[in-house]
Each structure stands twice: as structure tokens, then as C-alpha cells.
Amino acid sequence: GGTEPFTYAWAQIGVSANTWTIGSGATATTNFTAQAVGAGTEAEATFRVTVTDSGGATATADVMATAYNQSTA
């Protein structure tokens, strides 16, 4: 649904023990990078994308990202 063009806005929601970087906050798809994930541990964060169509209607979706550092040292 909706009328093109669409705009996209990604944001981290909730609290994470790690700092995360959003690759591109204004595109339909993006990537996430977790900073300072300790050896043998993982970090999780939840992100929300808000999509707005040309008429101002919005929709949201949440995604969870997990980063795992496989290093043992």
C-alpha cells in the first residue's frame, strides 16, 4: 500500500549494552554494526524503521540484530 515515493527512517529503540551504528538511516535496507563486543560474547539491539509515503501515511516495523564475536582471546 501507500503512494510512492517513500521515505525511510531507521532508529535504535530500547537499551543495548553496546553502542551500535546504523549503516544508512534513510534507505529501505541497511546494516548495523555493534562496537566493542567482547570475545566470545554477543550483543543484541532492536531497531525500528518508519516508512512514510507521499501522502504522509506511516507504517513501522521492528527488527532485532545480533552480533557475535567468535574470538576467544
Side-chain angles (χ1 to χ4, degrees):
T3 305
E4 294 184 31
F6 300 105
T7 60
Y8 303 88
W10 287 91
Q12 182 176 342
I13 59 174
V15 176
S16 175
N18 296 78
T19 301
W20 288 76
T21 303
I22 299 173
S24 175
T27 57
T29 60
T30 193
N31 64 316
F32 312 103
T33 304
Q35 307 298 318
V37 178
T41 64
E42 65 181 35
E44 294 181 340
T46 303
F47 297 87
R48 176 170 291 150
V49 61
T50 301
V51 182
T52 305
D53 75 1
S54 62
T58 61
T60 61
D62 295 348
V63 296
M64 176 171 264
T66 302
Y68 182 71
N69 182 345
Q70 295 181 341
S71 173
T72 58

Coordinates of all heavy atoms in Angstrom, one line a residue:
G1 N 0.8 -1.2 0.0 CA 0.0 0.0 0.0 C 0.8 1.3 0.0 O 2.1 1.2 0.0
G2 N 0.2 2.4 0.0 CA 0.9 3.6 0.1 C 1.2 4.2 -1.3 O 1.1 3.4 -2.3
T3 N 1.5 5.4 -1.4 CA 1.8 6.1 -2.6 C 3.3 6.5 -2.7 O 3.8 7.2 -1.7 CB 0.9 7.3 -2.8 OG1 -0.4 6.9 -2.7 CG2 1.1 8.0 -4.1
E4 N 4.0 6.1 -3.7 CA 5.4 6.5 -3.8 C 5.5 8.0 -4.1 O 4.6 8.6 -4.6 CB 6.1 5.7 -5.0 CG 6.1 4.2 -4.7 CD 6.8 3.5 -5.8 OE1 7.8 4.1 -6.5 OE2 6.5 2.3 -6.1
P5 N 6.6 8.6 -3.8 CA 7.9 8.0 -3.2 C 7.7 7.8 -1.7 O 6.9 8.5 -1.0 CB 8.9 9.0 -3.5 CG 8.2 10.3 -3.5 CD 6.8 10.0 -4.0
F6 N 8.5 6.8 -1.2 CA 8.5 6.5 0.3 C 9.8 7.1 0.9 O 10.9 7.2 0.2 CB 8.5 5.0 0.5 CG 7.3 4.4 -0.1 CD1 7.4 3.6 -1.2 CD2 6.1 4.5 0.5 CE1 6.3 3.0 -1.8 CE2 4.9 3.9 0.0 CZ 5.0 3.1 -1.1
T7 N 9.8 7.5 2.1 CA 11.0 7.8 2.9 C 11.1 6.8 4.0 O 10.1 6.3 4.5 CB 10.9 9.3 3.4 OG1 9.8 9.4 4.3 CG2 10.8 10.3 2.3
Y8 N 12.3 6.6 4.4 CA 12.6 5.6 5.4 C 13.5 6.3 6.6 O 14.4 7.1 6.3 CB 13.4 4.5 4.8 CG 12.7 3.8 3.7 CD1 12.9 4.3 2.4 CD2 11.9 2.8 3.9 CE1 12.2 3.7 1.3 CE2 11.2 2.2 2.8 CZ 11.4 2.6 1.6 OH 10.7 2.1 0.5
A9 N 13.2 5.9 7.8 CA 13.9 6.4 8.9 C 14.1 5.3 9.9 O 13.2 4.7 10.5 CB 13.2 7.6 9.6
W10 N 15.4 4.9 10.1 CA 15.8 3.8 11.0 C 16.3 4.4 12.3 O 17.0 5.5 12.3 CB 17.0 3.0 10.4 CG 16.6 2.1 9.3 CD1 16.6 2.4 8.0 CD2 16.1 0.8 9.4 NE1 16.2 1.3 7.2 CE2 15.9 0.3 8.1 CE3 15.9 -0.1 10.5 CZ2 15.4 -1.0 7.8 CZ3 15.4 -1.4 10.2 CH2 15.2 -1.8 8.9
A11 N 15.9 3.8 13.4 CA 16.4 4.3 14.7 C 16.5 3.1 15.7 O 15.8 2.1 15.6 CB 15.4 5.3 15.3
Q12 N 17.5 3.1 16.6 CA 17.6 2.1 17.6 C 16.6 2.4 18.7 O 16.4 3.5 19.1 CB 19.0 2.1 18.2 CG 19.2 1.0 19.2 CD 20.6 0.9 19.7 OE1 21.6 1.4 19.1 NE2 20.8 0.3 20.8
I13 N 15.9 1.4 19.1 CA 14.9 1.5 20.2 C 15.3 0.6 21.3 O 16.0 -0.4 21.1 CB 13.5 1.2 19.7 CG1 13.3 -0.2 19.2 CG2 13.0 2.2 18.7 CD1 11.9 -0.6 18.8
G14 N 14.9 0.9 22.5 CA 15.3 0.1 23.6 C 16.7 0.4 24.0 O 17.4 1.3 23.5
V15 N 17.3 -0.4 25.0 CA 18.6 -0.2 25.5 C 19.5 -1.4 25.1 O 19.0 -2.6 25.2 CB 18.5 -0.1 27.0 CG1 19.9 0.0 27.7 CG2 17.6 1.1 27.4
S16 N 20.7 -1.1 24.8 CA 21.7 -2.2 24.5 C 22.9 -1.9 25.3 O 23.3 -0.7 25.5 CB 22.0 -2.2 23.0 OG 23.1 -3.1 22.7
A17 N 23.6 -2.9 25.7 CA 24.9 -2.7 26.5 C 26.0 -2.2 25.6 O 27.0 -1.7 26.1 CB 25.3 -4.0 27.1
N18 N 25.8 -2.3 24.3 CA 26.8 -1.9 23.3 C 26.3 -0.7 22.5 O 25.1 -0.5 22.3 CB 27.1 -3.1 22.3 CG 27.7 -4.2 23.0 OD1 27.0 -5.0 23.7 ND2 29.0 -4.4 23.0
T19 N 27.3 0.0 21.9 CA 27.0 1.1 21.0 C 26.8 0.5 19.6 O 27.7 -0.3 19.2 CB 28.1 2.1 21.0 OG1 28.2 2.7 22.3 CG2 27.8 3.3 20.0
W20 N 25.8 0.8 18.9 CA 25.5 0.3 17.6 C 25.5 1.5 16.6 O 25.2 2.6 16.9 CB 24.1 -0.3 17.5 CG 24.1 -1.7 18.2 CD1 24.0 -1.9 19.6 CD2 24.1 -2.9 17.6 NE1 24.0 -3.2 19.9 CE2 24.0 -3.9 18.7 CE3 24.1 -3.4 16.3 CZ2 24.0 -5.3 18.4 CZ3 24.1 -4.8 16.1 CH2 24.0 -5.7 17.1
T21 N 25.9 1.2 15.4 CA 25.9 2.2 14.3 C 25.0 1.7 13.2 O 25.0 0.5 12.8 CB 27.3 2.3 13.7 OG1 28.2 2.7 14.7 CG2 27.4 3.3 12.6
I22 N 24.1 2.5 12.7 CA 23.2 2.2 11.6 C 23.9 2.6 10.3 O 24.3 3.8 10.2 CB 21.9 3.0 11.7 CG1 21.2 2.5 13.1 CG2 21.0 2.7 10.5 CD1 19.9 3.3 13.4
G23 N 24.0 1.7 9.4 CA 24.7 2.0 8.1 C 24.2 3.2 7.4 O 24.9 4.1 7.0
S24 N 22.9 3.1 7.0 CA 22.3 4.3 6.4 C 20.9 4.4 7.0 O 20.1 3.4 6.8 CB 22.2 4.0 4.9 OG 21.4 5.1 4.3
G25 N 20.6 5.5 7.6 CA 19.3 5.6 8.3 C 18.2 6.0 7.4 O 17.0 6.2 7.9
A26 N 18.4 6.2 6.1 CA 17.3 6.8 5.2 C 17.1 5.9 4.0 O 16.6 6.4 3.0 CB 17.7 8.2 4.8
T27 N 17.3 4.6 4.1 CA 17.1 3.7 2.9 C 16.2 2.6 3.4 O 16.1 2.3 4.6 CB 18.5 3.2 2.4 OG1 19.1 2.5 3.5 CG2 19.4 4.3 1.9
A28 N 15.7 1.9 2.4 CA 14.8 0.7 2.7 C 15.5 -0.4 3.4 O 14.9 -1.1 4.3 CB 14.1 0.2 1.4
T29 N 16.7 -0.6 3.1 CA 17.5 -1.7 3.7 C 18.8 -1.0 4.3 O 19.3 0.0 3.8 CB 17.9 -2.8 2.8 OG1 18.7 -2.3 1.7 CG2 16.7 -3.5 2.2
T30 N 19.3 -1.6 5.3 CA 20.5 -1.0 5.9 C 21.3 -2.1 6.7 O 20.8 -3.3 6.7 CB 20.2 0.1 6.9 OG1 21.4 0.8 7.3 CG2 19.5 -0.4 8.2
N31 N 22.4 -1.8 7.3 CA 23.1 -2.8 8.1 C 23.4 -2.1 9.4 O 23.3 -0.9 9.6 CB 24.4 -3.2 7.4 CG 25.4 -2.0 7.2 OD1 25.0 -0.9 6.8 ND2 26.7 -2.2 7.5
F32 N 23.8 -2.9 10.4 CA 24.0 -2.5 11.7 C 25.4 -3.0 12.2 O 25.7 -4.2 11.9 CB 22.9 -3.0 12.7 CG 21.5 -2.8 12.2 CD1 20.8 -3.8 11.7 CD2 21.0 -1.5 12.3 CE1 19.5 -3.6 11.2 CE2 19.7 -1.3 11.8 CZ 19.0 -2.4 11.3
T33 N 26.1 -2.2 12.9 CA 27.4 -2.7 13.4 C 27.5 -2.4 14.9 O 27.2 -1.3 15.4 CB 28.6 -1.9 12.7 OG1 28.5 -2.0 11.3 CG2 29.9 -2.4 13.2
A34 N 27.8 -3.5 15.7 CA 28.0 -3.3 17.1 C 29.4 -3.0 17.4 O 30.3 -3.6 16.9 CB 27.5 -4.6 17.8
Q35 N 29.6 -2.1 18.3 CA 31.0 -1.7 18.7 C 31.4 -2.4 20.0 O 30.5 -2.6 20.9 CB 31.1 -0.2 18.9 CG 30.6 0.6 17.8 CD 31.4 0.4 16.5 OE1 32.6 0.3 16.6 NE2 30.8 0.3 15.4
A36 N 32.6 -2.8 20.2 CA 33.2 -3.4 21.4 C 32.4 -4.6 21.9 O 32.1 -4.6 23.1 CB 33.3 -2.3 22.4
V37 N 32.2 -5.6 21.1 CA 31.6 -6.8 21.5 C 32.7 -7.7 22.0 O 33.7 -8.0 21.3 CB 30.8 -7.5 20.4 CG1 30.3 -8.8 20.9 CG2 29.8 -6.6 19.8
G38 N 32.7 -8.0 23.3 CA 33.8 -8.8 23.9 C 34.0 -10.2 23.3 O 33.0 -10.8 22.7
A39 N 35.2 -10.7 23.4 CA 35.5 -12.0 22.9 C 34.5 -13.1 23.4 O 34.3 -13.1 24.6 CB 36.9 -12.4 23.2
G40 N 34.0 -13.9 22.6 CA 33.1 -15.0 23.0 C 31.7 -14.5 23.5 O 31.0 -15.3 24.1
T41 N 31.4 -13.3 23.2 CA 30.1 -12.8 23.7 C 29.2 -12.2 22.5 O 29.7 -12.1 21.4 CB 30.2 -11.6 24.7 OG1 30.9 -10.5 24.1 CG2 31.0 -12.1 25.9
E42 N 28.0 -11.9 22.8 CA 27.1 -11.4 21.7 C 26.5 -10.1 22.2 O 26.4 -9.8 23.4 CB 26.1 -12.4 21.3 CG 25.1 -12.7 22.3 CD 24.1 -13.8 21.8 OE1 24.4 -14.6 21.0 OE2 22.9 -13.7 22.3
A43 N 26.0 -9.3 21.3 CA 25.3 -8.1 21.6 C 24.0 -8.1 20.8 O 24.0 -8.6 19.7 CB 26.1 -6.9 21.2
E44 N 22.9 -7.6 21.4 CA 21.7 -7.5 20.7 C 21.1 -6.1 20.8 O 21.3 -5.4 21.8 CB 20.7 -8.5 21.3 CG 21.0 -10.0 21.2 CD 20.0 -10.9 21.8 OE1 19.2 -10.4 22.7 OE2 19.9 -12.1 21.4
A45 N 20.3 -5.8 19.8 CA 19.7 -4.5 19.8 C 18.4 -4.6 18.9 O 18.4 -5.4 18.0 CB 20.6 -3.4 19.3
T46 N 17.5 -3.7 19.2 CA 16.3 -3.7 18.4 C 16.2 -2.3 17.6 O 16.5 -1.3 18.2 CB 15.0 -3.9 19.2 OG1 15.1 -5.1 20.0 CG2 13.7 -3.9 18.4
F47 N 15.8 -2.4 16.4 CA 15.8 -1.2 15.5 C 14.4 -1.1 15.0 O 13.7 -2.1 14.7 CB 16.8 -1.3 14.4 CG 18.2 -1.3 14.9 CD1 18.8 -2.5 15.2 CD2 18.9 -0.1 15.1 CE1 20.1 -2.6 15.7 CE2 20.2 -0.2 15.5 CZ 20.8 -1.4 15.9
R48 N 13.9 0.1 14.7 CA 12.6 0.4 14.1 C 12.8 1.2 12.8 O 13.5 2.2 12.8 CB 11.7 1.1 15.1 CG 10.4 1.5 14.5 CD 9.4 2.1 15.5 NE 9.1 1.0 16.4 CZ 8.7 1.1 17.7 NH1 8.8 2.3 18.2 NH2 8.4 0.1 18.4
V49 N 12.1 0.7 11.8 CA 12.1 1.5 10.5 C 10.7 2.1 10.4 O 9.7 1.4 10.6 CB 12.5 0.7 9.3 CG1 11.5 -0.5 9.1 CG2 12.5 1.6 8.1
T50 N 10.7 3.4 10.2 CA 9.4 4.1 9.9 C 9.4 4.5 8.4 O 10.3 5.1 8.0 CB 9.3 5.4 10.8 OG1 9.3 5.0 12.2 CG2 7.9 6.1 10.5
V51 N 8.3 4.0 7.8 CA 8.2 4.3 6.3 C 7.0 5.3 6.2 O 6.0 5.1 6.7 CB 7.8 3.0 5.5 CG1 7.7 3.3 4.0 CG2 8.9 2.0 5.8
T52 N 7.3 6.4 5.4 CA 6.3 7.4 5.2 C 6.1 7.5 3.7 O 7.0 7.6 2.9 CB 6.8 8.8 5.8 OG1 7.1 8.6 7.1 CG2 5.7 9.8 5.6
D53 N 4.8 7.5 3.3 CA 4.5 7.7 1.9 C 4.3 9.2 1.5 O 4.3 10.0 2.4 CB 3.3 6.8 1.4 CG 2.0 7.3 1.9 OD1 1.9 8.4 2.5 OD2 1.0 6.6 1.5
S54 N 4.1 9.4 0.2 CA 4.0 10.8 -0.2 C 2.8 11.5 0.4 O 2.7 12.8 0.4 CB 3.9 10.9 -1.8 OG 2.7 10.2 -2.2
G55 N 1.8 10.8 0.9 CA 0.6 11.4 1.5 C 0.8 11.6 3.0 O -0.2 12.1 3.6
G56 N 1.9 11.2 3.5 CA 2.1 11.4 5.0 C 1.7 10.2 5.8 O 1.9 10.2 7.0
A57 N 1.2 9.1 5.2 CA 0.8 8.0 6.0 C 2.1 7.2 6.4 O 3.1 7.2 5.6 CB -0.1 7.0 5.2
T58 N 2.1 6.7 7.6 CA 3.3 6.0 8.1 C 3.0 4.5 8.5 O 1.9 4.2 8.8 CB 3.9 6.7 9.3 OG1 3.0 6.7 10.4 CG2 4.4 8.1 9.0
A59 N 4.0 3.7 8.5 CA 4.0 2.4 9.0 C 5.4 2.1 9.6 O 6.4 2.7 9.2 CB 3.7 1.4 7.8
T60 N 5.4 1.2 10.6 CA 6.6 0.9 11.2 C 6.8 -0.6 11.3 O 5.9 -1.4 11.2 CB 6.7 1.4 12.7 OG1 5.6 0.8 13.4 CG2 6.6 2.9 12.7
A61 N 8.1 -1.0 11.4 CA 8.4 -2.5 11.6 C 9.7 -2.5 12.5 O 10.6 -1.6 12.4 CB 8.7 -3.1 10.3
D62 N 9.7 -3.5 13.4 CA 10.9 -3.6 14.3 C 11.7 -4.8 13.8 O 11.1 -5.9 13.4 CB 10.4 -3.8 15.7 CG 9.7 -2.6 16.3 OD1 9.8 -1.5 15.7 OD2 9.1 -2.7 17.4
V63 N 13.0 -4.7 14.0 CA 13.9 -5.8 13.7 C 14.9 -5.9 14.8 O 15.3 -4.9 15.4 CB 14.6 -5.7 12.3 CG1 13.7 -5.7 11.2 CG2 15.5 -4.5 12.3
M64 N 15.3 -7.2 15.1 CA 16.4 -7.4 16.1 C 17.6 -7.8 15.4 O 17.6 -8.6 14.5 CB 16.0 -8.5 17.1 CG 17.1 -8.8 18.1 SD 16.5 -9.8 19.4 CE 16.1 -8.6 20.6
A65 N 18.7 -7.2 15.8 CA 20.1 -7.6 15.3 C 20.9 -8.2 16.4 O 20.8 -7.8 17.6 CB 20.8 -6.3 14.8
T66 N 21.7 -9.2 16.0 CA 22.6 -9.9 17.0 C 24.0 -9.9 16.4 O 24.1 -10.3 15.2 CB 22.1 -11.3 17.3 OG1 20.8 -11.3 17.8 CG2 23.0 -12.0 18.3
A67 N 24.9 -9.5 17.1 CA 26.3 -9.5 16.7 C 27.1 -10.5 17.7 O 26.9 -10.4 18.9 CB 27.0 -8.2 16.7
Y68 N 27.8 -11.4 17.1 CA 28.6 -12.4 18.0 C 30.0 -12.3 17.6 O 30.4 -12.4 16.5 CB 28.0 -13.8 17.7 CG 28.7 -14.8 18.6 CD1 28.5 -14.8 20.0 CD2 29.6 -15.7 18.1 CE1 29.1 -15.8 20.8 CE2 30.2 -16.7 18.9 CZ 30.0 -16.7 20.2 OH 30.6 -17.6 21.0
N69 N 30.9 -12.1 18.6 CA 32.3 -12.1 18.5 C 32.8 -13.5 18.8 O 32.8 -14.0 19.9 CB 32.9 -11.1 19.4 CG 34.4 -11.0 19.3 OD1 35.1 -11.9 18.7 ND2 35.0 -10.0 19.9
Q70 N 33.3 -14.2 17.7 CA 33.7 -15.6 17.9 C 35.1 -15.8 18.4 O 35.5 -16.8 18.8 CB 33.6 -16.3 16.5 CG 32.1 -16.5 16.1 CD 32.0 -17.2 14.7 OE1 33.0 -17.3 14.0 NE2 30.9 -17.7 14.4
S71 N 35.8 -14.6 18.5 CA 37.2 -14.7 19.1 C 37.1 -15.2 20.5 O 36.2 -14.9 21.3 CB 37.7 -13.3 19.0 OG 39.0 -13.3 19.7
T72 N 38.2 -15.9 20.9 CA 38.3 -16.4 22.2 C 39.3 -15.7 23.0 O 39.5 -16.0 24.2 CB 38.6 -18.0 22.2 OG1 39.8 -18.2 21.5 CG2 37.4 -18.7 21.6
A73 N 40.0 -14.8 22.4 CA 41.1 -14.1 23.2 C 40.8 -12.6 23.2 O 40.1 -12.1 22.4 CB 42.4 -14.4 22.5

